[in-house]
Amino acid sequence: MSHRFGTYRGLLASTSALVLIASFSWSAAAQTAIEEITVTARKREESLQQIPLSITAITAAEIENRGVKDLRDVINLTPGLSMSTFGGGGLNFPVIRGMTNLTGGAFAENNVSVFYNGVYLLNTNMIDATFLDIERIEVVKGPVSALYGRNAYSGVINYVTKRPSKKFEGNAKVVAGTYDRYGVQGSVSGPVVDGKLGVRIAGRFDSFGGTWEDKVSGVEFGGYEKKAVQSAFEFDPSEALNILATAYYSDDRFSPPARALTSGNCGAAVGAFQPTICGKTPDFDSTTESRIRSTKPRFDIFGNDRHMFLGTGDVSINIGTVSLKSITSYMDGTRTENRDQDGTGIGYTYNLAGTPPGTVNLSTFLFTQDKDNSFTQEARLLSADDQRLRWSAGGFYSKFKRAAAITLTVDSLPLPTGRTAVVPFPIGLGNASNPPFVQRTRLSDEEVSGFGALDFDVTDRLTVAAEARRTKQKKFQNQTSGFLIFPSDPDGPNGVTGSWKFWSFRFTADYDLNDNSKLYMSAAKGNKAGGFNSSATIPADLKYNPESNWTYEAGLKSTLLGGKLVLDTSVFYSDLSGLQLFGFTTGGIGSVIRNGGKGKSYGLETNLSANVADGVSFGGGLAYADPTFKSGAFINSSGDVAICRNVSACTSRITTDVSGRTGLNISGFSFPRQSDWQATLSFDVVQPLNETWNWALRGNYRYESKQFSTSPQANIGFVGSKHIANLRLGVETDQYSISAFVDNLFNDGTPFNFGTGLNASNFQNPISVVYGDKRTFGVEAKMKF
């Protein structure tokens, strides 16, 4: 630890020295203004500094210069954005301003909407699709449901890909690194018919072995193999008509995440129900790898095998002072996961039936398969941008279907010939006479919404705006498995149907203090969709309703020192209602989601970018959010109650609600799976090496404060603070570059998360701690033509 703190002090000293040197040279250097960034965060092309929203935009240059390859790299550059994840390419839940998803799970709705070229990704497993040929990534903070629609509850992430170029161009990149990292990526673009038709084609292959390995079974953890192709066709038959068609396909395969089993330490008697950690979850150390185990059976084990196709058609028609925008999309995705459920490497001990007496070790495996498809259509009419009164209106339609299957089985391969094992849980051994436990689910989701927006320039400096959206959502779910009341036919008509209608709003006023500074204030209502409970045992538990929040925000955007310094800051307060919280069913078997109580969050965000000298620039951000449960927040969970009976700090929280259910009063507790404090720092130093080549040193650093666990939501266990730093050093020209890099410079070993689950083999409740990558090194070479 002393070495790590020494490293941090060194980073702080180095950064302070860089800033100090740059400050002395500011007036003397011939530094240039920061390049203006154009974004489409309000469905129009606008300057980033003119939009009355808190936005972080990551440009194509930053994506290339900092090696941004996935959603986690985006998070490292964005204060106010984090992610709750259990690794392995699935169950990723972005978090903005601390408003975390309080439930999770395969059918959960995210609190943050993710878009690809303006198309909402309904499948939450696909939100970190392999990055390819990205022009810009926009992160909008705060509820924008009125503008974006579904689940833009606390913010939006939008990936914008590159369009075909007006002249022929291309690029190529190769990368190699430690832990069997290697990859290649490239694109070509140009006109087919000059001024009329352009084409862009890109591809990527990236492979990584993972930084963890079970030395006994040989199973590797944390690795992946990603393949993606993308094409774009842009047709301009006239000045009034533009048609952009894109197609994206990815084939991603992830090895299992690194999970280390550990024991609870909350004071329960030996063998008692104790599925959590009290206090800090241990960081990885020299003993961690010996506890990351996996059985290697006769079938393949991997984290996720994920396939995604997304096709879009974007049509823009200018009709005098009005334009029509239409976006149509179709997405098809599949995800398959094969996982060692017990994670021991040797399985659990079963008694053998018959004589002579004996035992055998068998392992439990979980197989999951999802097949999704969706269709979306949005049409929008917009007025011209140069009018005093600007308006837009339109409609949106989406239809989403999912077929899912979960199979839980015990591998019977080690059984002696002619013997059978005594299985304590009603799951089988994967053979014809004793089939495995299977759960099948069919889900359909249909949504229709209408929306409109008005912007009015009251004076040359004062603008007011209003946005509204009316949404109608209908869901159908049918499920078959044990302990459920649903019918035996998963495609039958007798499943559960639910429908919801709700309004979303946003009201804004912004005032130009001068030509370089804008002050804005806003009030916005965000919504997150409702849904169904698979484990419901009574009708009252079948359905839960949407969650909503009203957020009030004030901000200042400033461009100073002749455009060489950009400073944005905002403060906010959010009032959350209808919180979707986990609890056990009324019958006590399985868990359900209920709308339980209210919450609040308040905080601030500050972002700064500066060109401090010729070839020297830096940026930084600070975000604080304090989300807490308000009075009345209640979790009905026998598991949480059992934990709290052994922890004096939360015993007094055990109570009974008006319906007679025993649970926890969680009012006053912080939200789990989110960090109150986040900070980012980045720098670029590019200086001449000779007349042709420059040398370049680039780095970025991110800090996240501790995060409490979900189980129980009583602020008992937590993962510690994270310190992630990446560094690149290389040489470059306008056409070529080669660089060496190190990711996770400090070898930070803070876990991603930890969780528990009932083990079907022996009814134990193992605690599984999930770790990310260790420090990695590599080299990268790029060429433009």
Side-chain angles (χ1 to χ4, degrees), residues 295-452:
T295 305
K296 192 168 186 178
R298 63 186 183 279
F299 37 77
D300 195 11
I301 286 294
F302 52 89
N304 270 307
D305 192 355
R306 187 178 67 186
H307 305 262
M308 172 182 171
F309 170 80
L310 176 63
T312 65
D314 186 326
V315 179
S316 298
I317 305 174
N318 292 320
I319 313 169
T321 59
V322 177
S323 62
L324 170 66
K325 182 81 165 179
S326 171
I327 302 178
T328 307
S329 79
Y330 174 79
M331 188 189 77
D332 187 272
T334 61
R335 181 183 73 95
T336 304
E337 179 183 12
N338 294 350
R339 190 176 76 202
D340 178 2
Q341 178 73 354
D342 53 52
T344 63
I346 58 174
Y348 286 102
T349 302
Y350 290 81
N351 291 322
L352 286 171
T355 56
T359 61
V360 64
N361 277 20
L362 302 177
S363 294
T364 309
F365 296 94
L366 184 70
F367 303 89
T368 303
Q369 185 173 55
D370 303 329
K371 183 173 178 57
D372 302 335
N373 64 78
S374 65
F375 170 82
T376 68
Q377 173 64 57
E378 179 176 311
R380 181 186 301 264
L381 282 171
L382 302 97
S383 66
D385 293 339
D386 57 359
Q387 297 180 352
R388 184 176 182 183
L389 175 63
R390 299 170 297 282
W391 57 268
S392 66
F396 173 80
Y397 172 80
S398 72
K399 189 164 187 177
F400 171 74
K401 290 185 176 181
R402 167 174 287 181
I406 298 174
T407 302
L408 188 64
T409 186
V410 175
D411 186 10
S412 59
L413 183 64
L415 281 177
T417 303
R419 302 296 296 276
T420 59
V422 180
V423 181
F425 195 68
I427 64 173
L429 299 179
N431 53 50
S433 61
N434 197 349
F437 179 84
V438 180
Q439 175 179 286
R440 293 186 176 90
T441 305
R442 299 294 186 270
L443 174 69
S444 66
D445 186 326
E446 193 169 11
E447 181 179 319
V448 179
S449 64
F451 52 84

Side-chain angles (χ1 to χ4, degrees), residues 22-31 612-614:
S23 300
F24 277 121
S25 61
W26 194 299
S27 59
Q31 66 270 33
V612 296
D614 196 13

Side-chain angles (χ1 to χ4, degrees), residues 145-399:
S145 294
L147 188 62
Y148 283 89
R150 180 171 178 149
N151 294 347
Y153 173 84
S154 62
V156 159
I157 302 170
N158 188 21
Y159 307 133
V160 182
T161 61
K162 294 180 179 179
R163 288 174 172 257
S165 55
K166 301 301 181 183
K167 62 180 181 179
F168 179 79
E169 64 181 29
N171 64 74
K173 176 172 68 175
V174 294
V175 62
T178 53
Y179 299 102
D180 296 323
R181 169 77 189 279
Y182 58 92
V184 60
Q185 180 176 327
S187 69
V188 292
S189 177
V192 176
V193 179
D194 195 31
K196 296 294 183 180
L197 178 63
V199 177
R200 188 177 193 98
I201 299 175
R204 174 184 170 187
F205 174 83
D206 203 3
S207 181
F208 178 55
T211 62
W212 301 90
E213 181 183 3
D214 180 355
K215 302 299 184 183
V216 178
S217 68
V219 174
E220 295 180 332
F221 305 93
Y224 55 78
E225 183 177 280
K226 300 180 179 181
K227 293 171 282 189
V229 292
Q230 182 171 276
S231 62
F233 301 85
E234 188 166 19
F235 183 43
D236 293 288
S238 68
E239 292 185 359
L241 177 62
N242 175 268
I243 302 173
L244 176 66
T246 65
Y248 170 90
Y249 176 78
S250 64
D251 179 357
D252 302 333
R253 186 179 177 94
F254 299 86
S255 59
R259 291 187 174 103
L261 296 184
T262 189
S263 301
N265 61 348
C266 292
V270 175
F273 186 82
Q274 168 171 274
T276 193
I277 294 174
C278 286
K280 183 182 177 182
T281 306
D283 296 347
F284 71 65
D285 55 24
S286 59
T287 66
T288 301
E289 192 149 21
S290 64
R291 293 184 289 112
I292 299 177
R293 300 292 307 280
S294 179
T295 305
K296 192 168 186 178
R298 63 186 183 279
F299 37 77
D300 195 11
I301 286 294
F302 52 89
N304 270 307
D305 192 355
R306 187 178 67 186
H307 305 262
M308 172 182 171
F309 170 80
L310 176 63
T312 65
D314 186 326
V315 179
S316 298
I317 305 174
N318 292 320
I319 313 169
T321 59
V322 177
S323 62
L324 170 66
K325 182 81 165 179
S326 171
I327 302 178
T328 307
S329 79
Y330 174 79
M331 188 189 77
D332 187 272
T334 61
R335 181 183 73 95
T336 304
E337 179 183 12
N338 294 350
R339 190 176 76 202
D340 178 2
Q341 178 73 354
D342 53 52
T344 63
I346 58 174
Y348 286 102
T349 302
Y350 290 81
N351 291 322
L352 286 171
T355 56
T359 61
V360 64
N361 277 20
L362 302 177
S363 294
T364 309
F365 296 94
L366 184 70
F367 303 89
T368 303
Q369 185 173 55
D370 303 329
K371 183 173 178 57
D372 302 335
N373 64 78
S374 65
F375 170 82
T376 68
Q377 173 64 57
E378 179 176 311
R380 181 186 301 264
L381 282 171
L382 302 97
S383 66
D385 293 339
D386 57 359
Q387 297 180 352
R388 184 176 182 183
L389 175 63
R390 299 170 297 282
W391 57 268
S392 66
F396 173 80
Y397 172 80
S398 72
K399 189 164 187 177

Side-chain angles (χ1 to χ4, degrees), residues 112 161 178 241 243 320 455 520 523 536 608 615 675 691 711:
V112 176
T161 61
T178 53
L241 177 62
I243 302 173
D455 290 65
Y520 69 89
L608 180 147
S675 299
E691 293 183 356
S711 180

Side-chain angles (χ1 to χ4, degrees), residues 95 97-100 572 574 576 599-603 624-629 668-672 674-676 715:
V95 179
R97 292 180 169 176
M99 287 184 271
T100 183
F572 65 89
S574 299
L576 292 71
K600 64 180 180 180
S601 182
Y602 64 89
Y624 173 76
D626 184 17
T628 56
F629 295 102
F669 285 131
S670 294
F671 281 19
Q674 64 84 30
S675 299
D676 288 354
N715 294 176

